[in-house]
Amino acid sequence: TAIAAALDRETARIDALIAKKTRFIELLKEKRQALITHTVTKGLDPTVRMKGSGVAWIGEVPLHWDSVPIRRVAKLESGHTPSRSEPSYWVNCTIPWFTLADIWQVRKEEVVFVSETSEKVSELGVANSSARKLPAGTVILSRTASVGFPAIMGCEMATSQDFAAWVCGDRLSNEFLYLCLVAMRDELGRLTMGSTHKTIYMPDIEQLRCPLPPILEQKRILEFVSRQTKRFDELMVNVEHSITLLKERRSALITAAVTGQIDLREAA
């Protein structure tokens, strides 16, 4: 009874610390998201004159910026699954094929570029389907099941139909588009349809708009956001490590107490 009482008190203290640190990580993620959204829609100059964008999630933008449908400044593509009943499409495969099985890579926002895939398809499979080989640098967005996760292709690859993809033109940096997709997370959630099989349909994808600063300003924004988010990411890693240590301490304390390695009778 004495051991149980002491353990209850000590584990409750550790659990309270874990809860506080977990909440701190959630707050850091919210601040990180807010930083990205503000910067890609308002820029870096707080004194600049603003104008309405006509898009709810964007709000006002600097007077010299545009607000455009993404498809006007980037070629919109989608993916496809070659027939599984044709073995030749799935042997001697050399083309990385990004699917929902690979989405775990980009659930953590510090991962931007993706090159590894769980499956590959053959040249023949791509040639005989609606799949496309898309160039390195293409921006992709998951639009089915795990909705709203963007990434940038680190090499030439194809995708399944669960993704929308944009090949950016000269006026839009692919990394800036990536940040815009991160910033419009709530908007993507609003467009998601279905309860069990969640999807953003392609007609809605086609209507997505983004803020469009001059290309040199996009690069300055990217440099600023990269510096700031690195600080958030490093802090979150440190806090996550401390949570892991607390959980290990909790487990070790219980083991030591119930096996008689420490005496908790006086502590009780």
Side-chain angles (χ1 to χ4, degrees):
T1 301
I3 291 171
L7 278 179
D8 283 346
R9 185 177 64 253
E10 289 301 309
T11 56
R13 186 178 64 84
I14 294 173
D15 290 342
L17 281 172
I18 291 172
K20 287 181 180 179
K21 289 177 179 288
T22 300
R23 177 57 183 156
F24 184 49
I25 290 175
E26 292 172 358
L27 291 172
L28 287 173
K29 288 180 178 179
E30 291 173 6
K31 286 180 68 68
R32 187 186 194 278
Q33 177 74 18
L35 168 77
I36 292 173
T37 301
H38 179 83
T39 309
V40 302
T41 58
K42 306 296 180 280
L44 301 175
D45 183 359
T47 67
V48 70
R49 292 177 60 193
M50 309 292 284
K51 66 180 180 182
S53 67
V55 181
W57 80 265
I58 298 174
E60 290 190 327
V61 296
L63 191 61
H64 62 288
W65 288 20
D66 291 323
S67 173
V68 300
I70 299 174
R71 69 180 188 279
R72 276 183 47 190
V73 287
K75 184 181 179 183
L76 177 61
E77 299 273 4
S78 185
H80 189 72
T81 301
S83 174
R84 292 285 188 180
S85 63
E86 181 50 66
S88 62
Y89 297 170
W90 303 99
V91 296
N92 299 321
C93 299
T94 58
I95 302 170
W97 186 56
F98 202 85
T99 70
L100 288 179
D102 306 301
I103 199 65
W104 61 269
Q105 297 182 58
V106 295
R107 283 184 178 274
K108 288 193 173 183
E109 293 174 349
E110 62 267 25
V111 176
V112 177
F113 291 88
V114 293
S115 299
E116 298 296 324
T117 59
S118 56
E119 286 190 273
K120 293 183 179 181
V121 296
S122 67
E123 293 279 355
L124 192 62
V126 170
N128 289 277
S129 73
S130 298
R132 298 279 187 276
K133 281 197 297 184
L134 299 171
T138 297
V139 181
I140 60 175
L141 176 73
S142 58
R143 65 180 191 87
T144 303
S146 295
V147 176
F149 291 96
I152 301 175
M153 291 182 176
C155 63
E156 183 181 70
M157 62 175 66
T159 75
S160 68
Q161 62 274 18
D162 302 300
F163 293 84
W166 292 271
V167 181
C168 294
D170 295 338
R171 297 179 61 199
L172 180 62
S173 160
N174 60 352
E175 292 184 60
F176 186 80
L177 175 57
Y178 169 87
L179 287 183
C180 287
L181 294 171
V182 171
M184 68 172 76
R185 178 162 298 155
D186 289 344
E187 174 68 5
L188 295 172
R190 185 184 68 81
L191 295 172
T192 301
M193 308 292 287
S195 54
T196 53
H197 189 73
K198 297 182 181 297
T199 301
I200 302 179
Y201 292 103
M202 285 305 292
D204 289 323
I205 294 285
E206 292 168 0
Q207 299 304 313
L208 290 179
R209 299 174 67 93
C210 71
L212 188 68
I215 194 70
L216 290 178
E217 194 168 352
Q218 292 178 39
K219 293 179 180 178
R220 289 196 295 271
I221 288 171
L222 288 169
E223 291 169 357
F224 173 81
V225 171
S226 176
R227 290 194 303 271
Q228 297 300 314
T229 54
K230 183 179 179 181
R231 292 172 53 230
F232 282 112
D233 294 341
E234 289 174 348
L235 187 52
M236 282 189 277
V237 167
N238 290 336
V239 177
E240 286 170 352
H241 179 63
S242 70
I243 289 174
T244 299
L245 292 177
L246 282 170
K247 289 179 178 178
E248 290 174 356
R249 174 175 171 76
R250 186 185 192 279
S251 179
L253 176 65
I254 293 171
T255 300
V258 301
T259 57
Q261 297 175 50
I262 56 175
D263 189 350
L264 293 178
R265 288 174 296 179
E266 290 185 7

